[in-house]
Amino acid sequence: MLKQKGGWLLAVMLGLAPLAGVQAQPVDARAVALQVQPHYPGVIELEVDASDIERRIQRVRQRIPVSAGPLTLWYPQWIPGNHAPTGPINQMAGLVIRGNGQVLPWTRNSGDMYAFQLQVPEGVGVLEIEFQYLSPTAADQGRVAMTPNLLDLQWHRVLLYPAGVDARGIQVKPSLRLPDGWHSGSALDVDRREGHVEHYAPVSLMTLIDSPVFAGRHFKRFALDDTTRQPVWLDVVAENPQALQADGKVLDAHRALVREADAVFGARPYSRYNFLLAVSDVFSGIGLEHAQSSENGMHDGYLRGERPFLDNDLLPHEYAHAWVGKAWRPRPTWVPHYNAPMHNDELWMYEGQTQYWAVVLAARSGLWQPDYAMAMLAQLQANYASQPGRQWRDLHDTVHQGILDFNAKPQAWADWQRAFEFYNESTLLWLGVDARLRSLSKGKVSLDTFARRFHQGGEPGQIRLYDRTDVMQALEALQPGDWDAFIGTRLDARDGHAPDGLHAAGWELHFSEQPNLVIADGEADGLTDLQYSLGMKVGSDGVLQFVGWESPAFKAGLAKDVTLVAVNGLAYSGARLKQAVTDAKNGVPVELIVRQADSFRSVRIDYRDGLRYPHLRRIEGRADVLTKILAPQR
């Protein structure tokens, strides 16, 4: 065993420099990054000034205690819940580091853009750091999280931290300056307020990054459950005061969500919980989980019950994460800081089962009406029954999509390329597990039973790690059924067959000429959804938003972003296109004039089966498990 660890020899040992004549071995960068010190001496002071709402500039000041010698500071890269290295370092600017008032030179690590290296001189005990986080002013720059009326402050965007230390062992004392008259919500404890500055109690870096702040000119807190030692609040910021006017039925459904989650999971794994909700048509939408809060973005009329079906599974999804993903985490996703790769292998559980509970809890709480929940499941089943990409890319491979989709751009051929299917396709997988548990046990156990047993014994602030073996053993202990094989075949299948969860629950897919509630809701904004007939969706402006791989539209030479100009000799409209599809049943071809860039051409689509929209119907002779699953439990 080599004992000397000088610079070059250490590089050899880490696999960074080969010995002459010796084959270089690959280095496990994640394993190296996981070797950390448990504690960092002293407390980091962090001041964020977010009062410049006109220019959307957040000014950052930090004081980091240090000792003389080489030092690396990290900007957070791997952000929990994003499942990818998405830290927005391109939006950081103006970095200046001082010691004893003197500017200290720094360099960026050429192999790691998130690492800033410097030499701390003798006699310097504190670094004074300044930089700006330039919050996007438009959606093409990134997520709009700062407007003249509201703010979503994510701490990982506005700090640097010492490399090589467990984030739980770094103490931070944060403060936030807000515009005059603004109020805020957060899972952080406010130690004191001085004018427009909120001073928070010191917390670990991990707790800080897991505790964002929603603030706004118009703010209101609603109690969803303030009768227990672990209260739940809905903290809402809005662009205008009218958006804070909540319909009683809407609030009742959110309160029911909390009760129904208690029925599924049992004990709450948090000391208190804040749903942070921005209701705005300007602010970019978001859904991100945290241990004691969640970030949620909805449309302006959400609390009033307008467009009641739109994304109403968002809050149930993020809330279920308090158990699935935060208090109980897949072992591959666990890292002690934010600059080591997270492995996504178990996202079919982390996100997939969470999305299953989102659907179930939305239905049980009344955020969705039962017929809408049925329509949503019909839509999912139809999507995967007709998704050709399942022939080459299995469900398990899609867990890596967050890393593959590094530029966050739309796909040209979404159903062939596949994307974040580990959410919705896994919903159907877990529906199949639930139905099978109920069938094998003759109704004695269900996935509710599994969730309560698997997530028992949690205490606020604790994190429990698990892997696939733990999940399978828990299912086997609940009800023997060779679960590893059952789930594994569905994760790894590349046969193009649709998931069978709905069939196991007593329902099957069928098509009619009437849009289901999901499609009708989507078409309320002018969309024309002909995915299951011509194989395309058309925006209100006539631009194709989706063309299915090997669909009739595909075979006619159409692609996404082509513009429809005319239908059967008349100027394009969604109604005329639907009528053309209906007329085609009698042999009248669908004739289109389309524009692609500066070119025009005529297109004929050979299709004669009429309008087709997915619905569910009961399977005769099979038990209706699905209705029981979606029914309220409390």
Side-chain angles (χ1 to χ4, degrees):
M1 177 177 177
L2 294 171
K3 296 181 183 292
Q4 182 183 359
K5 293 189 178 179
W8 178 82
L9 186 53
L10 177 59
V12 171
M13 293 174 65
L14 293 179
L16 303 177
L19 288 167
V22 177
Q23 180 69 37
Q25 298 298 314
V27 61
D28 186 341
R30 188 171 191 267
V32 172
L34 297 184
Q35 298 173 7
V36 295
Q37 297 297 320
H39 300 288
Y40 189 78
V43 177
I44 295 175
E45 297 178 19
L46 171 63
E47 301 174 5
V48 179
D49 184 344
S51 61
D52 191 348
I53 53 177
E54 291 81 9
R55 292 174 294 193
R56 304 184 187 182
I57 299 172
Q58 297 170 19
R59 293 176 170 82
V60 180
R61 292 178 179 269
Q62 287 184 262
R63 288 172 56 85
I64 301 180
V66 294
S67 56
L71 177 68
T72 297
L73 297 174
W74 275 333
Y75 186 81
Q77 180 180 18
W78 288 80
I79 310 306
N82 289 1
H83 313 304
T86 54
I89 198 166
N90 60 309
Q91 292 163 359
M92 173 194 182
L95 177 62
V96 177
I97 303 176
R98 293 183 174 88
N100 292 341
Q102 299 299 311
V103 175
L104 302 180
W106 57 264
T107 59
R108 197 188 302 264
N109 186 312
S110 60
D112 181 0
M113 299 297 101
Y114 288 76
F116 299 88
Q117 300 170 320
L118 67 150
Q119 185 76 23
V120 179
E122 292 288 344
V124 172
V126 175
L127 293 184
E128 297 176 345
I129 299 174
E130 296 181 16
F131 66 88
Q132 302 84 45
Y133 171 69
L134 307 177
S135 192
T137 58
D140 60 356
Q141 302 164 23
R143 177 173 164 258
V144 175
M146 194 175 189
T147 79
N149 294 302
L150 51 83
L151 164 72
D152 174 5
L153 181 80
Q154 296 175 319
W155 297 101
H156 70 262
R157 298 172 182 262
V158 290
L159 59 80
L160 297 173
Y161 70 101
V165 183
D166 192 318
R168 294 169 294 181
I170 301 175
Q171 287 293 301
V172 184
K173 185 179 180 181
S175 67
L176 172 62
R177 178 179 292 276
L178 294 171
D180 184 18
W182 281 36
H183 300 279
S184 69
S186 175
L188 293 174
D189 291 323
V190 177
D191 187 50
R192 70 185 190 281
R193 290 182 173 88
E194 294 180 345
H196 309 321
V197 180
E198 295 187 342
H199 297 268
Y200 302 100
V203 292
S204 72
L205 177 64
M206 183 167 288
T207 298
L208 179 66
I209 287 183
D210 205 35
S211 305
V213 179
F214 270 32
R217 191 183 309 277
H218 310 291
F219 173 90
K220 191 169 185 179
R221 167 170 287 182
F222 299 91
L224 300 186
D225 182 7
D226 59 353
T227 63
T228 71
R229 294 181 179 179
Q230 296 162 286
V232 182
W233 309 94
L234 179 63
D235 291 342
V236 188
V237 292
E239 296 287 353
N240 55 75
Q242 292 76 28
L244 296 177
Q245 298 173 3
D247 183 272
K249 291 181 179 179
V250 173
L251 290 181
D252 287 345
H254 287 80
R255 293 179 178 123
L257 165 62
V258 177
R259 295 194 300 271
E260 292 293 342
D262 287 344
V264 171
F265 298 109
R268 300 175 183 177
Y270 49 77
S271 58
R272 73 169 187 266
Y273 192 91
N274 297 70
F275 285 100
L276 305 177
L277 174 63
V279 284
S280 169
D281 294 330
V282 179
F283 185 82
S284 293
I286 188 174
L288 190 61
E289 68 274 11
H290 302 283
Q292 298 206 135
S293 63
S294 57
E295 298 171 76
N296 307 276
M298 298 294 283
H299 59 282
D300 184 87
Y302 177 75
L303 290 180
R304 296 191 297 270
E306 298 174 8
R307 300 290 300 276
F309 303 138
L310 186 63
D311 290 335
N312 264 17
D313 61 337
L314 174 63
L315 273 69
H317 180 99
E318 304 308 338
Y319 188 48
H321 267 316
W323 291 267
V324 189
K326 298 305 293 186
W328 282 264
R329 301 186 191 182
R331 188 167 284 106
T333 68
W334 168 254
V335 288
H337 53 76
Y338 306 99
N339 291 70
M342 300 177 185
H343 288 183
N344 292 341
D345 300 80
E346 311 300 339
L347 290 189
W348 55 273
M349 173 74 177
Y350 183 119
E351 295 290 5
Q353 192 177 112
T354 298
Q355 183 55 24
Y356 174 73
W357 289 123
V359 171
V360 171
L361 291 172
R364 290 180 182 178
S365 65
L367 286 168
W368 281 353
Q369 295 303 308
D371 52 353
Y372 186 81
M374 291 292 195
M376 178 61 73
L377 289 169
Q379 191 82 352
L380 293 183
Q381 186 73 17
N383 283 348
Y384 293 113
S386 61
Q387 190 178 88
R390 300 182 79 253
Q391 300 171 16
W392 74 272
R393 189 178 184 194
D394 58 54
L395 172 59
H396 199 203
D397 185 65
T398 68
V399 302
H400 306 297
Q401 186 65 26
I403 302 171
L404 295 172
D405 194 19
F406 58 90
N407 59 7
K409 299 298 183 183
Q411 295 175 316
W413 304 102
D415 62 340
W416 180 241
Q417 293 169 271
R418 305 249 284 169
F420 294 89
E421 317 303 339
F422 56 89
Y423 286 88
N424 287 329
E425 188 175 334
S426 292
T427 298
L428 298 175
L429 182 155
W430 285 108
L431 175 60
V433 172
D434 200 346
R436 189 165 182 257
L437 279 171
R438 293 169 187 258
S439 176
L440 291 175
S441 69
K442 295 181 170 49
K444 295 179 181 178
V445 299
S446 65
L447 203 62
D448 294 64
T449 319
F450 166 84
R452 180 174 284 265
R453 293 187 183 180
F454 192 78
H455 299 99
Q456 66 183 339
E459 296 292 335
Q462 293 183 350
I463 298 172
R464 286 165 172 75
L465 303 180
Y466 66 86
D467 55 25
R468 175 170 173 161
T469 299
D470 297 318
V471 175
M472 301 309 168
Q473 288 179 349
L475 286 169
E476 290 292 341
L478 183 65
Q479 173 61 56
D482 195 9
W483 292 104
D484 195 40
F486 179 85
I487 292 176
T489 55
R490 286 155 178 76
L491 286 175
D492 301 331
R494 296 179 183 175
D495 54 13
H497 294 164
D500 55 358
L502 273 170
H503 190 272
W507 292 75
E508 65 182 0
L509 185 67
H510 79 103
F511 291 87
S512 79
E513 294 189 345
Q514 296 302 315
N516 63 41
L517 288 174
V518 176
I519 291 176
D521 186 54
E523 291 190 328
D525 289 331
L527 178 74
T528 300
D529 190 340
L530 300 174
Q531 178 177 351
Y532 307 105
S533 52
L534 297 184
M536 63 189 194
K537 298 179 183 180
V538 194
S540 59
D541 55 359
V543 177
L544 293 179
Q545 297 182 358
F546 167 86
V547 172
W549 189 262
E550 295 292 353
S551 68
F554 176 96
K555 293 175 180 177
L558 294 177
K560 187 176 182 294
D561 297 316
V562 168
T563 300
L564 304 190
V565 177
V567 182
N568 289 354
L570 297 174
Y572 168 78
S573 73
R576 286 171 175 167
L577 182 58
K578 286 187 176 182
Q579 186 60 52
V581 173
T582 299
D583 293 344
K585 293 193 299 183
N586 299 319
V588 179
V590 179
E591 300 275 2
L592 304 174
I593 296 176
V594 303
R595 177 177 180 173
Q596 191 168 20
D598 287 339
S599 299
F600 291 81
R601 58 191 169 97
S602 297
V603 172
R604 171 178 289 189
I605 302 180
D606 185 13
Y607 174 80
R608 304 187 182 185
D609 292 334
L611 298 171
R612 298 176 78 245
Y613 301 101
H615 298 266
L616 294 184
R617 66 184 175 198
R618 289 278 293 110
I619 300 175
E620 187 176 350
R622 230 177 225 284
D624 182 4
V625 176
L626 182 58
T627 300
K628 294 179 181 179
I629 290 174
L630 299 180
Q633 306 298 297
R634 287 196 173 184

